[in-house]
Amino acid sequence: MMTRLQPPVPLNLPKTSVQPPSHISATTKDAGLLFRQKILHLQALNVNPQKALHQNPNFRCTPLSSLLSLEHYLLSLGLSPPAVGRILDMHPKLLTADIPRDLEPIIDFLLEEVLIPFNDLPKSLTRCPRILVSDLKTQLRPTFKFLVEFGFKGSHKINCQTTVLLVSSVERTLKPKIDFLKNLRFSDEEVERMVIRSPGLLTFSVENNLVPKVDFFIQEMKGDLDELKKFPQYFSFSLERKIKPRYRILVDHGFKLPLAQMLRVSDGEFNARLIEMRLKLAERSSLL
């Protein structure tokens, strides 16, 4: 005989729910919405959100109002909206910057100590946005002092074209390049004049730029170093794309030009000058 199974006796347990209280759900929902708005605003500025959050995780907790205040402040400096986006994308650290503590002292330094005119401020910042994330006491002021003592003063003072030098390390970047030029047996005054005429000399790599260009000038071009004193801009031209090709074209035709005439002109002007020189050579040859 089979025994009939009895149904289980129901347990009178208190009802529970895995759903959070309604006020917590609303808060979480609002936080998620605000975070999405913040991300969408970054995208509107052409700032990569993934890059920004990876390089500056603290931005996740920054309110949208802080981002809007930062954007407004940068625009008030004369920067265009696209420039603001580029700067923030290059340096996501700025997204959590405290404006009075981190940014205003740097802007005051540029305006009141470096004496950059306000209208030139956007040029300075777009050329070198790294200024905005550089330490004022340990980087910008010491480098500015060094540059002034070197010769960047008076009519040659730091301007919107040369503010990029302010983010360079004196010991690791500026001095090695100056020492390299002095080792070419240029005097202190000659090096100063060269750098003032071509400040880019202080931004070029010694190993990858200065050394190979000097070697080519001396060994292949058989050049006189005095010509480099007169035309230090030589170092700003590409060795492979301009200096070597133009020099070898001249050699192939038996011509020689001063560095400035060889390099400063466009490709079209260079070719026109080459044709003119060939015609003159042909005319002289026909008279012989």
Side-chain angles (χ1 to χ4, degrees):
M1 180 175 179
M2 296 180 63
T3 304
R4 180 179 296 177
L5 297 175
Q6 298 296 321
V9 178
L11 299 175
N12 294 321
L13 297 175
K15 293 183 178 180
T16 61
S17 173
V18 296
Q19 302 260 340
S22 60
H23 72 279
I24 295 179
S25 296
T27 302
T28 303
K29 184 177 179 181
D30 289 345
L33 179 62
L34 290 174
F35 181 76
R36 177 167 173 75
Q37 289 177 341
K38 191 166 58 175
I39 295 302
L40 289 174
H41 196 72
L42 282 185
Q43 292 174 330
L45 290 170
N46 286 323
V47 177
N48 185 324
Q50 289 77 21
K51 174 184 173 183
L53 290 168
H54 176 71
Q55 294 188 16
N56 189 354
N58 291 333
F59 177 65
R60 184 176 294 274
C61 304
T62 301
L64 176 61
S65 59
S66 295
L67 174 60
L68 296 176
S69 296
L70 174 65
E71 179 186 5
H72 177 74
Y73 176 72
L74 294 175
L75 290 172
S76 74
L77 300 177
L79 291 164
S80 67
V84 170
R86 284 193 299 272
I87 289 172
L88 295 178
D89 190 61
M90 290 176 66
H91 297 286
K93 179 181 177 182
L94 287 168
L95 292 169
T96 53
D98 181 279
I99 294 172
R101 183 193 65 211
D102 301 327
L103 299 182
E104 287 181 353
I106 291 175
I107 299 302
D108 290 344
F109 164 74
L110 292 174
L111 295 174
E112 298 172 10
E113 297 181 44
V114 184
L115 300 179
I116 300 294
F118 183 81
N119 289 338
D120 286 343
L121 196 57
K123 295 178 185 177
S124 293
L125 298 178
T126 52
R127 284 177 179 274
C128 187
R130 187 176 154 198
I131 287 176
L132 293 173
V133 293
S134 297
D135 189 274
L136 182 57
K137 293 181 179 180
T138 62
Q139 173 59 55
L140 298 178
R141 275 206 179 98
T143 301
F144 177 60
K145 182 175 183 291
F146 174 84
L147 291 169
V148 170
E149 292 174 351
F150 178 79
F152 285 91
K153 52 192 171 186
S155 60
H156 303 300
K157 68 184 183 69
I158 295 293
N159 55 40
C160 63
Q161 306 285 339
T162 52
T163 42
V164 64
L165 297 177
L166 295 173
V167 301
S168 299
S169 164
V170 172
E171 298 298 328
R172 296 191 307 273
T173 303
L174 301 181
K175 284 186 176 180
K177 289 153 192 178
I178 292 170
D179 291 341
F180 174 81
L181 294 173
K182 289 180 179 179
N183 288 336
L184 295 177
R185 297 185 180 178
F186 295 137
S187 67
D188 291 354
E189 293 76 13
E190 289 168 339
V191 170
E192 178 185 328
R193 285 195 295 270
M194 290 174 69
V195 170
I196 294 299
R197 289 185 63 188
S198 185
L201 281 169
L202 296 182
T203 66
F204 301 143
S205 165
V206 173
E207 293 78 13
N208 299 325
N209 186 307
L210 303 183
V211 169
K213 287 177 181 176
V214 168
D215 287 347
F216 182 79
F217 180 74
I218 293 174
Q219 295 172 14
E220 185 158 346
M221 296 180 67
K222 310 300 181 187
D224 186 337
L225 288 175
D226 283 343
E227 194 171 5
L228 294 182
K229 286 191 297 186
K230 298 175 184 176
F231 189 66
Q233 295 90 337
Y234 164 81
F235 293 100
S236 65
F237 294 96
S238 169
L239 182 60
E240 298 299 329
R241 294 193 304 272
K242 181 162 283 190
I243 297 173
K244 286 183 178 181
R246 289 196 177 182
Y247 172 73
R248 286 167 181 166
I249 287 173
L250 290 173
V251 170
D252 289 344
H253 289 85
F255 299 138
K256 187 173 183 179
L257 284 174
L259 288 177
Q261 294 182 31
M262 183 179 85
L263 298 173
R264 266 185 174 160
V265 297
S266 66
D267 288 341
E269 292 172 309
F270 178 78
N271 290 330
R273 183 169 295 176
L274 185 62
I275 292 171
E276 182 182 352
M277 293 167 67
R278 291 175 64 185
L279 289 173
K280 288 183 178 179
L281 179 62
E283 289 175 4
R284 287 198 298 269
S285 299
S286 66
L287 296 175
L288 296 177

